[in-house]
């Protein structure tokens, strides 16, 4: 005779309470309501789609271990979600994706232990592209900060290996959509060219696979596997910095694929010229195609993304709270998601409505308002005002000492207070190249160390920036 589902879930809660922090337990486990346990299927009700996805993304291991221990191996966990809109209400059931004790991880990136191994020699039908179905062009919102990358990605998807965008090199700070765009390109190519072998792999995993191949004396199999890929999407190539043997192997893979007209898409947190510790011959090849920078999303794009996240997860917040989040969470998309999660969690814990005071407290705890992004344009203006110079002067090629000094300080502070590359800063400040900005930063650093008056001037400018 099967046990009562309430008893089973109470037993689960007793274990979970000892595993997770009290705040997590109160927020994410107490609201779960057990509904039934029939024919090895345990059904629980959760408040929303947002709640369901967050619970599985963050606490799937806790659920798996606990359900296995209390109910038994083979138990299938199902979720029932309450749906409420302006016209009617109802429920939606979400069964686990497989019949194991572990709840599914819907639309989450796959476990790296399940990544394709070079030793299996899979056919095209067997090859798992390791693409996250959540990341598509449809869910990738375009703005000035990512327009070049997205446009190039769509062109690559239509004609992989046949455009001048090979390789397509996407770079920028964390959380601006590089990985999302990588997956979107892979998904679109799979849709248009199902016969092609498409593979997304992080550089971290690539490095682990290569090390394992060396250890097992199967390096040739590793090389043959990757040289058989039609579209290789390699994420976070900066992870290969200092890994000379891995870089050498990737160099040969790159050459082989490129010569055969296969498509390569690479991502990094830095432009190719800034990747110190990567072999020069590899950097040269990275620059063969198109290098597209992706920067922090502007206000319009942040509002698009925030609205989508809210609609996707059935989250409703007042308009003044929406505007406050969009205007102050400026770093990246992940911060927007994190603030929404924290906001809803605080509202649940404290049993209160989401309002502006709660939003301010949550944002201060998560992203700190005082770290709001300073633009290169603002830095230029503050520097010119400080030295009583016309803003247009530092955009010229003038070699007058005071203009050169102001230009160099603007470049130095732009590198310090933004995530832009040397190349991007150079384009904005006087249309200079990467080497000029690098030299400017070095000159300012040296002057700060040896000149007390110069150091004092730079500090005064920084104080003005923080007040701006």
């Amino acid at each position: 005779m099967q046990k009562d589902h309430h008893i089973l879930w109470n037993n689960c809660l007793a274990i979970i309470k000892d595993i997770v922090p009290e705040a997590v337990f109160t927020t994410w486990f107490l609201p779960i309501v057990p509904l039934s346990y029939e024919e090895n299927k345990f059904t629980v009700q959760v408040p929303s789609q947002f709640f369901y996805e967050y619970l599985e993304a963050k606490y799937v291991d806790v659920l798996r271990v606990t359900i296995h221990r209390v109910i038994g191996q083979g138990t299938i966990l199902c979720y029932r979600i309450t749906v409420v809109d302006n016209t009617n209400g109802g429920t939606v059931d979400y069964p686990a994706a497989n019949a194991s004790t572990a709840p599914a991880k819907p639309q989450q990136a796959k476990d790296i232990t399940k990544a394709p191994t070079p030793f299996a020699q899979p056919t095209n039908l067997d090859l798992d592209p390791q693409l996250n179905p959540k990341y598509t062009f449809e869910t990738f919102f375009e703005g000035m900060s990512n327009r070049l990358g997205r446009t190039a990605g769509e062109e690559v998807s239509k004609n992989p290996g046949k455009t001048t965008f090979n390789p397509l090199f996407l770079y920028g700070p964390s959380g601006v959509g590089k990985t999302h765009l990588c997956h979107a390109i892979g998904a679109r190519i799979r849709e248009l060219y199902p016969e092609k072998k498409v593979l997304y792999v992080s550089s971290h995993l690539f490095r682990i696979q290569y090390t394992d191949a060396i250890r097992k004396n199967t390096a040739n199999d590793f090389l043959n596997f990757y040289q058989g890929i039609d579209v290789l999407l390699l994420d976070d190539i900066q992870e290969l910095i200092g890994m000379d043997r891995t870089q050498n192997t990737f160099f040969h893979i790159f050459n082989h694929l490129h010569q055969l007209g296969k498509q390569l898409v690479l991502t990094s947190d830095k432009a190719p010229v800034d990747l110190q510790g990567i072999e020069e011959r590899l950097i040269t090849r990275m620059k063969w195609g198109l290098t597209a920078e992706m920067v922090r999303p502007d206000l319009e794009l942040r509002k698009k993304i925030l609205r989508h996240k809210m609609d996707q997860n059935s989250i409703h917040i007042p308009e003044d709270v929406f505007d406050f989040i969009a205007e102050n969470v400026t770093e990246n998309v992940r911060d927007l998601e994190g603030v929404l999660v924290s906001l809803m969690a605080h509202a649940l814990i404290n049993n209160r409505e989401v309002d502006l005071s709660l939003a301010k407290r949550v944002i201060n705890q998560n992203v700190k308002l005082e770290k709001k992004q300073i633009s290169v344009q603002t830095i230029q203006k503050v520097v010119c005002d400080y030295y009583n110079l016309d803003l247009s002067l530092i955009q010229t090629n003038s070699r007058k000492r005071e203009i050169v000094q102001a230009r160099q300080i603007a470049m130095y502070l732009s590198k310090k207070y933004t995530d832009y590359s040397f190349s991007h800063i150079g384009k904005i400040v006087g249309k200079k190249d990467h080497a000029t900005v690098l030299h400017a930063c070095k000159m300012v650093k040296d002057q700060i160390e040896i000149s007390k008056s110069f150091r004092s001037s730079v500090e005064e400018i920084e104080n003005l920036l923080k007040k701006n």
Side-chain angles (χ1 to χ4, degrees):
M1 184 176 178
Q2 292 189 329
K3 292 183 179 179
D4 178 80
H5 54 277
H6 291 286
I7 296 174
L8 290 173
W9 183 243
N10 285 337
N11 292 340
C12 288
L13 287 179
I15 294 173
I16 292 170
K17 191 171 185 179
D18 290 333
I19 298 175
V20 302
E22 184 177 352
V24 170
F25 178 78
T26 304
T27 305
W28 300 109
F29 293 97
L30 277 186
I32 298 173
V33 179
L35 295 180
S36 65
Y37 178 49
E38 299 173 348
E39 297 179 351
N40 236 24
K41 182 185 293 185
F42 192 80
T43 303
V44 296
Q45 180 170 296
V46 293
S48 68
Q49 176 80 15
F50 161 77
F51 194 101
Y52 154 70
E53 290 186 359
Y54 189 79
L55 187 71
E56 288 232 300
K58 298 293 184 181
Y59 302 112
V60 63
D61 291 334
V62 173
L63 285 167
R64 180 177 64 247
V65 170
T66 306
I67 290 174
H68 176 80
R69 180 174 170 183
V70 173
I71 305 177
Q73 188 173 3
T75 303
I76 301 171
L77 179 66
C78 288
Y79 298 91
R80 181 164 296 169
I81 297 171
T82 303
V83 178
V84 180
D85 58 32
N86 295 331
T87 56
N88 53 37
T91 61
V92 177
D93 287 345
Y94 286 84
N98 54 60
S100 70
T101 59
K105 282 189 177 181
Q107 300 182 335
Q108 298 295 320
K110 298 176 178 66
D111 189 333
I112 63 168
T113 60
K114 297 179 181 178
T117 168
F119 324 123
Q121 296 297 321
T123 66
N124 189 39
L125 293 177
D126 294 329
L127 179 64
D128 184 343
Q130 297 296 298
L131 296 171
N132 188 332
K134 178 180 176 182
Y135 296 147
T136 65
F137 280 114
E138 288 70 30
T139 58
F140 186 91
F141 292 92
E142 181 181 318
M144 289 298 296
S145 62
N146 59 30
R147 184 161 295 154
L148 176 60
R150 183 198 171 100
T151 302
E154 289 181 324
E155 289 301 311
V156 162
S157 302
K158 294 174 187 174
N159 294 291
K162 301 296 190 293
T163 71
T164 56
F165 308 151
N166 193 20
L168 173 58
F169 190 99
L170 306 168
Y171 74 98
S174 176
V176 296
K178 303 185 301 294
T179 297
H180 187 146
L181 189 52
C182 246
H183 284 270
I185 292 168
R188 181 65 58 82
I189 293 174
R190 289 266 297 174
E191 179 184 329
L192 297 176
Y193 303 94
E195 75 282 1
K196 289 190 179 295
K197 293 182 180 179
V198 178
L199 178 64
Y200 165 87
V201 63
S202 69
S203 294
H204 176 72
L205 176 57
F206 181 88
R207 192 178 72 197
I208 291 173
Q209 289 179 338
Y210 176 69
T211 302
D212 195 52
I214 293 297
R215 183 173 57 83
K216 294 179 178 178
N217 199 29
T218 54
N220 286 336
D221 291 336
F222 174 90
L223 193 63
N224 290 336
F225 171 81
Y226 275 99
Q227 288 181 341
I229 301 298
D230 295 312
V231 180
L232 180 59
L233 310 154
L234 186 68
D235 207 0
D236 290 326
I237 199 166
Q238 74 275 1
E239 293 278 345
L240 301 187
I241 287 176
M243 304 293 169
D244 294 342
R245 293 181 68 183
T246 309
Q247 286 182 38
N248 183 60
T249 299
F250 179 65
F251 171 81
H252 293 297
I253 292 170
F254 184 108
N255 275 350
H256 182 86
L257 296 181
H258 197 273
Q259 288 169 8
L260 291 179
K262 309 299 184 181
Q263 181 66 50
L264 294 112
V265 179
L266 313 173
T267 79
S268 172
D269 62 354
K270 298 180 181 67
V273 293
D274 296 328
L275 286 170
Q276 298 179 8
I278 296 287
E279 290 184 22
E280 185 60 34
R281 60 177 184 166
L282 197 48
I283 289 176
T284 300
R285 281 157 176 77
M286 292 176 193
K287 296 188 288 184
W288 275 354
L290 174 69
T291 298
E293 184 175 17
M294 298 174 66
V295 298
R296 290 168 173 167
D298 56 27
L299 178 60
E300 182 183 354
L301 181 55
R302 293 199 299 274
K303 285 186 174 181
K304 284 183 187 177
I305 295 169
L306 187 58
R307 186 71 69 189
H308 171 72
K309 296 294 180 187
M310 290 166 55
D311 292 343
Q312 186 182 44
N313 296 298
S314 300
I315 295 173
H316 303 283
I317 59 177
E319 200 63 28
D320 60 339
V321 174
F322 174 87
D323 289 338
F324 185 79
I325 294 173
E327 289 168 4
N328 289 280
V329 184
T330 61
E331 296 293 310
N332 55 56
V333 177
R334 293 194 189 111
D335 281 351
L336 285 172
E337 294 175 339
V339 165
L340 272 182
V341 168
S342 296
L343 200 56
M344 301 312 294
H346 278 76
L348 279 169
I349 291 172
N350 299 309
N351 192 27
R352 60 175 288 186
E353 293 293 323
V354 173
D355 56 20
L356 191 56
S357 64
L358 178 60
K360 287 180 179 179
R361 182 154 62 90
V362 168
I363 291 176
N364 268 308
Q365 290 173 349
N366 284 270
V367 298
K368 297 189 183 298
L369 293 178
E370 66 269 21
K371 291 188 176 179
K372 192 172 178 179
Q373 173 70 4
I374 301 171
S375 70
V376 176
Q377 288 78 7
T378 299
I379 291 169
Q380 290 183 93
K381 184 178 184 306
V382 171
V383 171
C384 287
D385 288 347
Y386 181 82
Y387 286 109
N388 197 25
L389 293 172
D390 189 286
L391 183 59
S392 63
L393 288 176
I394 65 172
Q395 299 295 335
T396 68
N397 290 322
S398 173
R399 301 304 301 166
K400 287 185 178 179
R401 184 177 179 277
E402 63 271 20
I403 296 174
V404 170
Q405 180 173 278
R407 187 189 300 124
Q408 289 181 338
I409 291 174
M411 290 175 172
Y412 167 79
L413 294 176
S414 294
K415 189 60 186 171
K416 181 174 181 179
Y417 286 98
T418 76
D419 287 323
Y420 292 136
S421 65
F422 290 117
S423 300
H424 189 78
I425 292 169
K427 289 176 185 176
I428 300 174
V429 185
K431 296 182 180 178
K432 305 298 181 183
D433 59 17
H434 156 267
T436 302
V437 181
L438 190 61
H439 174 72
C441 292
K442 183 178 184 304
M443 291 296 292
V444 173
K445 286 179 182 177
D446 290 345
Q447 279 294 102
I448 287 173
E449 290 180 4
I450 63 176
S451 171
K452 185 176 180 180
S453 62
F454 183 82
R455 180 169 63 251
S456 177
S457 294
V458 173
E459 288 174 352
E460 286 180 31
I461 294 171
E462 289 187 75
N463 289 331
L464 290 171
L465 276 174
K466 291 170 184 177
K467 294 175 183 177
N468 199 276

